[in-house]
Every structure is written in structure tokens, then in C-alpha cells.
Amino acid sequence: MSRLKVADRPYDIVLFGATGFVGELTAEYLAAHAPKGLRWAVAGRDGEKLRRLRDRLPAEDVGVLLADVSDPDSLRELARHARVLATTVGPYVRYGDALVAACAEAGTDYLDLTGEPEFVDLTYVRHDARARETGARLVHACGFDSVPHDLGVHFTVRHLPEGVPLSVDGFVRVGAAFSGGTLASALGQFARGRRLRAAALERRRHEPRLAGRRVATPAGTPRFAGEVGAWALPLPTVDAQIVRRSARALERYGPDFRYRHYAAVRRLPVAVGGVAAVGALVAAAQVPPARRLLSGRLAPGDGPSAERRARSWFSVRFVGEGGGRKVFTEVSGGDPGYDETAKMFAEAALCLALDALPPTAGQVTTAVAMGDALTDRLRAAGIGFRVAATR
Ligand SMILES: NC(=O)c1ccc[n+]([C@@H]2O[C@H](COP(=O)([O-])OP(=O)(O)OC[C@H]3O[C@@H](n4cnc5c(N)ncnc54)[C@H](OP(=O)(O)O)[C@@H]3O)[C@@H](O)[C@H]2O)c1
């Protein structure tokens, strides 16, 4: 696929799932921040809802495109209309594969908000090779999962010496609520343990071995982490896997790289309660009636109010070490699940559409595809990336 053909597409960015909770926030962000002349469209399955959204947006010439995940032809058509296609239609393991296939085939850059490791592994096995041939960049996890962690580690590594073994620990703290779409994705994921492990195994069979370097993301153990003054609980989210892929792809992470990912909790009873709550959610997700009951508590499209989101925040602190140097960094911002996720998602789409980036193709992470360019965009948009101390 020549990049010229891609440049001829009617839209620079198409936002699919624009009528959902995060979709609307992303459309509002694009309407407020897209540079003049950017050609973009909202897409989804409900024309009436899309037109109502488009008419509310403070932007001109926003296109409207119809597509449904149950109609693969409509997804192929959608992929042919965009240079960059950003989708919020999840749970991705249920709804997402056909659109990734369509983008890989059409040479269209693809972004999503998945936090589902099984989906990322399956799309790697199925579509990475074709995307490399057509030049499509397939970038998963472009929201709070996993941008602050992936770019935060990338930022931390840039402050450590080159060519030596490096280790980074990440400590996540959030104060926030979540939406119906996120609850559905989380419950679906907890119910799919065996399929998740099978997909990871299949990926490992396809992934080339890393020659001459080592990259590890061990789970770590619960402990009091004096360096951040909090209890650290190993966090089994997709983030560490994304960091691992960035470290595999980028020589700058050194000959021997290790990353450990934790939730940081100030008080021990909260730590114990958090582990118990996640355990209960995982257990409930195994029983279909309990899963349906929990899903029903928040309908798709529902989410926290603007007031609740305004009080929400996140902070990810990193401790990096190597070559005799130690660096403490932090990535921080407002409401992680929605406002900041919409910001990260929209800025990532703008970055792929507009910025001069290193040539990459196939399944790539935000750090590999966009790296400093996206970090700079997010800093300009109010997300903090700072070095707190060095030793
Ligand atoms: N940590 C993160 O990075 C993060 C944060 C927030 C959300 N997420 C993920 O992002 C996804 C969206 O979350 P949300 O809260 O915005 O969900 P949501 O409000 O339920 O929105 C889902 C969107 O998908 C669309 N959709 C559903 N079925 C479709 C179909 N058959 N064809 C076309 N479109 C279809 C819906 O369209 P209609 O309006 O027509 O129903 C809606 O626009 C979830 O997977 C969630 O887990 C990730």
C-alpha cells in the first residue's frame, strides 16, 4: 500500500463509537483542539444519534459515517475512508477483531482503548504480519491503559544512562469512578482466564526471539515501598505487557531491562480491602448470573458525572535505576478513566495523523510509534511528566 493512496483518503481521522461515553468526550476534545483544516468524522451504527452529536459539537465540517461491527463490509468501507481510525467500540475481544483486520488490509492506522491482553495477543497473531506489509500502525491501549505507564517508562529511561542494565518500578494511584463500558470489559476479561492464557501462549509462538538483549516484567510481590511511602501491590493489568513490548522494540531500554508494575496504597487496611474487592469481582465474573447482575448496575453509555470527574485524579510514580544512577519521575493528571483517557486518545490520533514520526508498521505501542512526540503533546495538554529527583 503506497502512503500516497492513504493520503488520498477523505478523512484524516475517523472516530468510531463516537456516541459512547468516552467517544463523546473524545469528539468534544477533537472539536475543541483539532487544528483548522483537519478532516475528521464521527462514525457509529446509529445515524440519528451521530447527527445529534455532530450538531452539538463546536466544530464545522465534521463528517458522519455509518458502520456496524456485525457488518464486516461496513468496517472495510470505514477503513478505506480514513488515514487514522480510532475506535471506542468495546469490549474489544467481543467487537474489535474485524475492524483491526480491515485496517491492516487497507493500510489504515488504527487506535483503540483496549485494556484486554487477550485481544492484543489475538490481533498480533492474526493481523501484525499483514499490517507490516500494508504499512498500517496498529496501536492498542491508547487511554489510561496504557499511555501513562508506557510513556512514563519511556520518559524515565530517557533520564538513565545508555547501554547498561536498567530497572524501573511503576506505582499507580488513582481517585476515580468508572463507566458501564469499562465495567463490561473488566467483567468479561475476568471471566476469560483460560482463553487469555491460550492467546498469550499463541503470541509467544509467533513472536521472534529477542537476540542479544533481555527484557523481563516479573509480577513482583506485595511489599512496603519506602521509595514512594506506600504499600505496593502487583497490578496484573495490560500495562506491564505493553511496557515489555516497547522495551523489546527499543534498544534505548538497554541490554537487560526489568519493569515491575504496582498499585500504590497508603494504608494497609485499604490495600487488604482492595485485594479482597478485586478477588470478589474475579470470583463473581466466573458465574454468569452474578456477572449479569453486576453488569446491569451500570448500563453501556453510563459513566461518572462531570462533577465527579472533576474531583478525580491519577499519579504514576516511577523509580528507575541503572549505571549507578537513580531517577524518580511522575506522570499525573485529572480523571484517568474518561477525561484524560479521551485526551490521550484524541492526542494519539492527532499525533499519528499529523506528526513526523519514526517509520513503524504492524502492532506497535504508543512509545514505539509516537514516543516523545506524544509525550510533548500530552504535556502541552496539561498531563504532567516530571523528574522529581535524581541521585
Ligand atoms: N482505561 C482505558 O483506557 C479506558 C477508559 C475508558 C474506557 N475504556 C474502554 O473503552 C470502551 C468504551 O467505553 P465506554 O465507556 O465509552 O463504552 P460505551 O459508552 O458503552 O460506548 C460503546 C460505543 O460502542 C458502540 N457500539 C456498540 N455496539 C456497536 C456495534 N454493533 N456497532 C457499532 N458500534 C457499536 C456504541 O454505540 P451506540 O451509542 O449506538 O450504542 C457506543 O458508541 C470499553 O471497551 C472500555 O473498556 C478504556
Side-chain angles (χ1 to χ4, degrees), residues 213-247:
R213 296 174 61 226
R214 268 169 45 92
V215 170
T217 48
T221 46
R223 64 187 169 94
F224 184 77
E227 58 272 43
V228 291
W231 290 90
L233 308 174
L235 199 52
T237 49
V238 73
D239 307 307
Q241 298 174 27
I242 300 284
V243 169
R244 183 172 150 268
R245 279 161 211 150
S246 296

Coordinates of all heavy atoms in Angstrom, one line a residue, residues 213-247:
R213 N 19.6 -9.3 23.9 CA 19.1 -8.5 24.9 C 18.1 -9.2 25.8 O 17.6 -10.2 25.4 CB 18.4 -7.2 24.3 CG 19.3 -6.3 23.5 CD 18.5 -5.2 22.9 NE 17.8 -4.4 23.8 CZ 16.5 -4.0 23.7 NH1 15.7 -4.5 22.7 NH2 15.9 -3.3 24.7
R214 N 17.9 -8.7 27.0 CA 16.9 -9.4 27.9 C 15.9 -8.3 28.3 O 16.2 -7.2 28.7 CB 17.6 -9.9 29.2 CG 18.0 -11.4 29.0 CD 18.9 -11.7 30.2 NE 18.4 -11.3 31.5 CZ 17.6 -12.0 32.3 NH1 17.3 -13.2 31.9 NH2 17.2 -11.5 33.4
V215 N 14.6 -8.7 28.3 CA 13.5 -7.9 28.8 C 12.6 -8.7 29.7 O 12.2 -9.8 29.3 CB 12.7 -7.3 27.6 CG1 11.5 -6.6 28.2 CG2 13.5 -6.3 26.8
A216 N 12.4 -8.3 30.9 CA 11.6 -9.0 31.8 C 10.6 -8.1 32.5 O 10.9 -7.0 32.9 CB 12.4 -9.7 32.9
T217 N 9.4 -8.7 32.8 CA 8.3 -7.9 33.5 C 7.8 -8.9 34.6 O 6.6 -9.3 34.6 CB 7.2 -7.4 32.6 OG1 6.8 -8.5 31.8 CG2 7.7 -6.3 31.8
P218 N 8.6 -9.2 35.6 CA 8.2 -10.1 36.7 C 7.0 -9.4 37.5 O 6.9 -8.2 37.6 CB 9.4 -10.3 37.6 CG 10.3 -9.1 37.3 CD 10.0 -8.7 35.9
A219 N 6.2 -10.3 38.1 CA 5.0 -9.7 38.8 C 5.3 -9.0 40.1 O 4.6 -8.1 40.5 CB 4.0 -10.9 39.1
G220 N 6.4 -9.3 40.7 CA 6.8 -8.6 42.0 C 5.9 -9.2 43.1 O 5.0 -10.0 42.8
T221 N 6.2 -8.8 44.3 CA 5.5 -9.3 45.5 C 5.0 -8.1 46.3 O 5.6 -7.0 46.2 CB 6.4 -10.2 46.4 OG1 7.6 -9.5 46.6 CG2 6.6 -11.5 45.8
P222 N 3.8 -8.3 47.0 CA 3.3 -7.1 47.8 C 4.4 -6.8 48.8 O 5.1 -7.6 49.4 CB 2.1 -7.7 48.5 CG 1.7 -8.9 47.7 CD 3.0 -9.5 47.1
R223 N 4.6 -5.5 49.0 CA 5.7 -5.0 50.0 C 5.4 -3.6 50.3 O 4.6 -2.9 49.6 CB 7.0 -5.1 49.3 CG 7.2 -4.2 48.1 CD 8.6 -4.5 47.4 NE 8.6 -3.9 46.1 CZ 9.2 -2.7 45.9 NH1 9.8 -2.0 46.9 NH2 9.2 -2.1 44.7
F224 N 6.0 -3.1 51.4 CA 6.0 -1.7 51.7 C 7.1 -1.0 50.8 O 8.3 -1.4 51.0 CB 6.2 -1.3 53.1 CG 6.0 0.1 53.4 CD1 4.8 0.7 53.4 CD2 7.1 0.9 53.6 CE1 4.6 2.1 53.6 CE2 7.0 2.3 53.8 CZ 5.7 2.9 53.8
A225 N 6.8 -0.1 50.0 CA 7.8 0.5 49.1 C 8.2 1.8 49.7 O 7.5 2.9 49.5 CB 7.3 0.7 47.7
G226 N 9.4 1.8 50.5 CA 9.8 3.0 51.1 C 10.1 4.2 50.2 O 9.8 5.4 50.5
E227 N 10.5 3.9 48.9 CA 10.8 4.9 48.0 C 9.6 5.8 47.6 O 9.8 6.9 47.1 CB 11.6 4.3 46.7 CG 10.8 3.3 45.9 CD 11.0 1.8 46.4 OE1 11.0 1.6 47.6 OE2 11.2 1.0 45.6
V228 N 8.4 5.2 47.7 CA 7.2 6.0 47.4 C 6.3 6.2 48.6 O 5.2 6.8 48.6 CB 6.4 5.5 46.2 CG1 7.2 5.6 44.9 CG2 6.0 4.0 46.4
G229 N 6.7 5.6 49.8 CA 6.0 5.8 51.0 C 4.6 5.1 51.0 O 3.7 5.7 51.5
A230 N 4.5 4.0 50.3 CA 3.2 3.3 50.2 C 3.3 1.8 50.1 O 4.4 1.3 49.8 CB 2.5 3.9 48.9
W231 N 2.2 1.1 50.4 CA 2.1 -0.3 50.1 C 2.0 -0.5 48.6 O 1.2 0.1 48.0 CB 1.0 -0.9 50.9 CG 1.2 -0.9 52.3 CD1 0.8 0.1 53.2 CD2 1.9 -1.9 53.1 NE1 1.2 -0.2 54.5 CE2 1.9 -1.4 54.5 CE3 2.5 -3.1 52.8 CZ2 2.5 -2.2 55.5 CZ3 3.1 -3.8 53.8 CH2 3.1 -3.4 55.2
A232 N 2.9 -1.5 48.1 CA 2.9 -1.7 46.7 C 2.3 -3.1 46.4 O 2.8 -4.1 47.0 CB 4.3 -1.7 46.2
L233 N 1.2 -3.2 45.6 CA 0.5 -4.4 45.3 C 0.7 -4.7 43.8 O 0.4 -3.8 43.0 CB -1.0 -4.3 45.6 CG -1.4 -3.9 46.9 CD1 -2.9 -3.7 47.0 CD2 -0.9 -4.9 48.0
P234 N 1.2 -5.9 43.4 CA 1.4 -6.2 42.0 C 0.1 -6.0 41.2 O -0.9 -6.4 41.7 CB 1.8 -7.7 42.0 CG 2.4 -7.9 43.4 CD 1.7 -7.0 44.3
L235 N 0.2 -5.3 40.1 CA -1.0 -4.9 39.4 C -1.1 -5.7 38.0 O -0.3 -5.4 37.1 CB -1.0 -3.4 39.1 CG -2.3 -2.7 38.8 CD1 -3.4 -2.9 39.8 CD2 -2.0 -1.2 38.7
P236 N -1.9 -6.7 37.9 CA -1.9 -7.6 36.7 C -2.7 -7.0 35.6 O -3.5 -7.7 35.0 CB -2.5 -8.9 37.3 CG -3.5 -8.4 38.3 CD -3.0 -7.1 38.9
T237 N -2.5 -5.8 35.2 CA -3.2 -5.2 34.1 C -2.3 -5.3 32.8 O -1.2 -5.8 32.9 CB -3.4 -3.7 34.3 OG1 -2.1 -3.1 34.8 CG2 -4.4 -3.4 35.4
V238 N -2.9 -4.8 31.7 CA -2.2 -5.0 30.4 C -0.9 -4.1 30.4 O 0.0 -4.4 29.6 CB -3.1 -4.6 29.2 CG1 -3.3 -3.1 29.2 CG2 -2.6 -5.1 27.9
D239 N -0.8 -3.2 31.3 CA 0.3 -2.1 31.2 C 1.7 -2.7 31.1 O 2.5 -2.3 30.3 CB 0.2 -1.2 32.4 CG -1.2 -0.6 32.5 OD1 -1.7 -0.1 31.5 OD2 -1.9 -0.7 33.5
A240 N 2.0 -3.7 32.0 CA 3.3 -4.2 32.0 C 3.7 -4.9 30.7 O 4.8 -4.9 30.2 CB 3.5 -5.2 33.2
Q241 N 2.7 -5.6 30.1 CA 2.9 -6.2 28.8 C 3.2 -5.2 27.7 O 4.0 -5.4 26.8 CB 1.7 -7.0 28.4 CG 1.4 -8.1 29.4 CD 0.1 -8.9 29.1 OE1 -0.3 -8.9 27.9 NE2 -0.5 -9.4 30.1
I242 N 2.5 -4.1 27.8 CA 2.8 -3.0 26.8 C 4.2 -2.5 27.0 O 4.9 -2.3 26.0 CB 1.7 -1.9 26.9 CG1 0.3 -2.4 26.7 CG2 2.0 -0.7 26.0 CD1 -0.1 -2.7 25.3
V243 N 4.6 -2.2 28.2 CA 5.9 -1.7 28.5 C 6.9 -2.7 28.0 O 8.0 -2.4 27.4 CB 6.1 -1.5 30.0 CG1 7.6 -1.2 30.4 CG2 5.2 -0.3 30.5
R244 N 6.7 -4.0 28.2 CA 7.6 -5.1 27.8 C 7.8 -5.0 26.3 O 8.9 -5.1 25.8 CB 7.0 -6.4 28.2 CG 7.9 -7.6 27.9 CD 7.3 -8.9 28.5 NE 7.7 -10.0 27.6 CZ 7.0 -10.4 26.6 NH1 5.8 -9.9 26.4 NH2 7.4 -11.4 25.9
R245 N 6.7 -4.8 25.5 CA 6.8 -4.7 24.1 C 7.6 -3.5 23.6 O 8.4 -3.5 22.7 CB 5.4 -4.7 23.4 CG 5.0 -6.2 23.4 CD 3.5 -6.4 23.2 NE 3.2 -7.6 23.9 CZ 2.0 -7.9 24.4 NH1 1.1 -7.0 24.4 NH2 1.8 -9.0 25.1
S246 N 7.4 -2.4 24.3 CA 8.2 -1.2 24.0 C 9.7 -1.5 24.3 O 10.5 -1.1 23.4 CB 7.8 0.0 24.9 OG 6.4 0.3 24.6
A247 N 10.0 -2.1 25.4 CA 11.4 -2.4 25.7 C 12.0 -3.4 24.7 O 13.2 -3.2 24.4 CB 11.4 -3.0 27.2

